[in-house]
Amino acid sequence: VPALAEPLGIGRAALPEEVAAWDVAIMPDGRGLPQGGGNVLDGEDLWIEQCAVCHGDFAEGAGNWPQIVGGLGTLMDDRPVKTTDSYWPHLSTVWDYVNRSMPFGAAQTLTGDEVYAITAYILYSGGLVDDDFELTHENFTSITLPNADGFFVDDRDDVELPLFTQEPCMSDCRAPVSISARATDIDVTPEFPIIRFT
Amino acid sequence: MTDTPNDAAKTPRGTSRRDFLRTAGLAAGGAMVGAGAKAASPDPLITEVQPYASFLGEGVDATPYGMPIHFEDHVVRRNVEWLTADPISSINFTPIHALDGTITPQGCAFERHHSGAIEMSKDEYRLMITGLVDKPLVFTFGDLMRMPRVQHTYFCECAANGGMEWGGAQLNGAQFTHGMIHNMEYTGVSLRTLLNEAGVKPEGTWVYVEGHDASSNGRSIPMEKALDDCIVAFYANGEALRMEHGYPVRLVVPGWEGNMWVKWLRRIGVHDGPIESREETSKYTDLMPDGRARKWTWVMDAKSVITSPSPQVPVSHGPGPMVITGLAWSGRGKVTRVDVSVDGGVNWQEARIAGDPQSMAVTRFYFDHVWDGAPMFLQARAIDETGYVQPTKEQLRAIRGLNSIYHNNAIQTWYVNENGDAENVEVS
């Protein structure tokens, strides 16, 4: 870490109201959560009103829009289904992301209690709580998502670098090649003009 | 390596360039055009006075800010509709197949938004530093302009660049397989300078950066990186950032995945741990074969691609001398060497690196080849200053499987057939 110079004295102190308005990130241990709560039934009403058009009545997804629950146990499948209950590690992320960035196209329109209720409904839809559950700032950290231990820190330096830092072969490196897959067989590329020079 | 023609100009093996040209000319029935060929009749573009040689062109008042000439209308960003549910949280692609050098023109440099490209003025702009600091601060754009500036050229590559190709050869063109990248010269303020103004407390070991847009795109960055080389940038390629690239202020995170280059930067929070936001849990984590996932895969590894010839730029001149060119880059430092193969990796030759390679910036390479007209399997292989050699897709799949989505830096193969048409393929 480089030594820091004297401050320049540029900028002004942020006021508490300004910090409160913008610094709304929630940490995995629940720090940052506002006081309040919301239950599954209220969450269901809000969900139907504000979320279901894209994410389905049961958070199962609609059309090409993201599926929010389901897919538990599919992470080793050919086509894994990665949702809040099958993949996400922390409930804090659900609260934080819904609060800040949803609904898509009308973000930051939900109150804290509404976000608690919607989060409770997501937990219920994933089968993680009963329908009489109420999520509050006090019981928030008692919820552990199924894939909480599913992540590990980037290990490329240990696993890949030893393999990929060896002197490369320059001649007669392998047998002659043949085509094993071609993009034109799949044919999903948009039309594009071919550049030809005369 | 110096900027001089490589030995490939004398190939194919055992023949001199002159012998080869004579043979190739005969094979093509004497139709080959080029040095030494004689025109059948005078060229009217030469013998007749053309309008542009007689009449007047446009005045200097016609174009206060110009666009490329209309003949270059194909050199544009393109999107692939089926990749995402809507065009707002989506991606488009830089026309790298049609560009040369290393600097990406801003107007066709790729975009990736999560809630669209927002419009915000410099007057509206505010940047806040909060959290574990001595003094939480608010800066205006004018404040930033008073601070000591730094300037560097870096690539910004989307973590998902090439992600559609994990399962096979899917999209047909370098623009689509490798075009989630741009390379610009940035000017701005070191993130270190801003953090120093607020005074980071000893327990402040991470920063959380987020944008003004609805998606916020919040990401956690360890303090070591934040104090090292990150830039709070407001100029790119000599002018203000484009709206779609974060006007008026974005974060530049050299060598690291593009998602962390937060646009419309609004807040820098100092914390004692990572936030583990949506963009570093649900997204930008890399699922491995055992069902667990890598997180915090920040660095973009060494990578290269031949931009021409490629599916959008076939060989249109027939056998003979040709230019094979492409891009190489590494988030771990400078690219020190690029090897090119025309036979799918059986044999390799060193390409020429153009100019002076910069750390964590795009590097241009050239390979001067004499094509004998037989099909080619073109590949490039980048090597960086740490000794990292760009792997094959098989090598990566052996470790990561097929569902890691991000960080595909595998060697690309273009099949060039006897007509010169090029195609995205995998070989075995």
Side-chain angles (χ1 to χ4, degrees), chain A residues 5 8 87 100 164 170 184, chain B residues 196-197 210 285 348 389 423:
Chain A
L8 300 158
Y87 189 67
R100 233 193 305 208
F164 301 160
M170 293 301 284
T184 49
Chain B
N196 193 38
E197 285 302 295
E210 64 177 335
T285 53
W348 297 87
V389 181
E423 188 185 333

Side-chain angles (χ1 to χ4, degrees), chain A residues 43-180:
Chain A
E44 183 177 29
D45 290 343
L46 288 160
W47 187 271
I48 299 299
E49 213 173 278
Q50 307 238 29
C51 318
V53 62
C54 294
H55 297 300
D57 286 355
F58 307 101
E60 79 281 16
N64 285 330
W65 297 100
Q67 181 176 344
I68 307 303
V69 298
L72 202 59
T74 65
L75 296 183
M76 289 171 71
D77 291 359
D78 287 347
R79 292 183 180 277
V81 178
K82 292 152 70 182
T83 68
T84 57
D85 57 315
S86 74
Y87 189 67
W88 291 34
H90 308 298
L91 191 62
S92 59
T93 313
V94 179
W95 203 101
D96 177 278
Y97 184 68
V98 170
N99 179 53
R100 233 193 305 208
S101 300
M102 285 288 136
F104 189 65
Q108 303 194 75
T109 56
L110 299 168
T111 67
D113 287 346
E114 287 174 336
V115 177
Y116 277 110
I118 286 170
T119 306
Y121 182 71
I122 290 171
L123 288 171
Y124 167 73
S125 300
L128 302 177
V129 298
D130 293 328
D131 60 5
D132 60 354
F133 179 73
E134 180 178 15
L135 181 69
T136 70
H137 66 277
E138 284 168 320
N139 68 5
F140 194 90
T141 55
S142 70
I143 304 286
T144 303
L145 295 184
N147 199 42
D149 297 324
F151 296 81
F152 60 97
V153 176
D154 184 5
D155 64 350
R156 282 177 291 173
D157 284 4
D158 300 325
V159 173
E160 299 184 3
L161 251 51
L163 295 170
F164 301 160
T165 51
Q166 292 170 18
E167 191 57 33
C169 174
M170 293 301 284
S171 55
D172 297 322
C173 300
R174 53 162 300 156
V177 302
S178 57
I179 295 174
S180 53

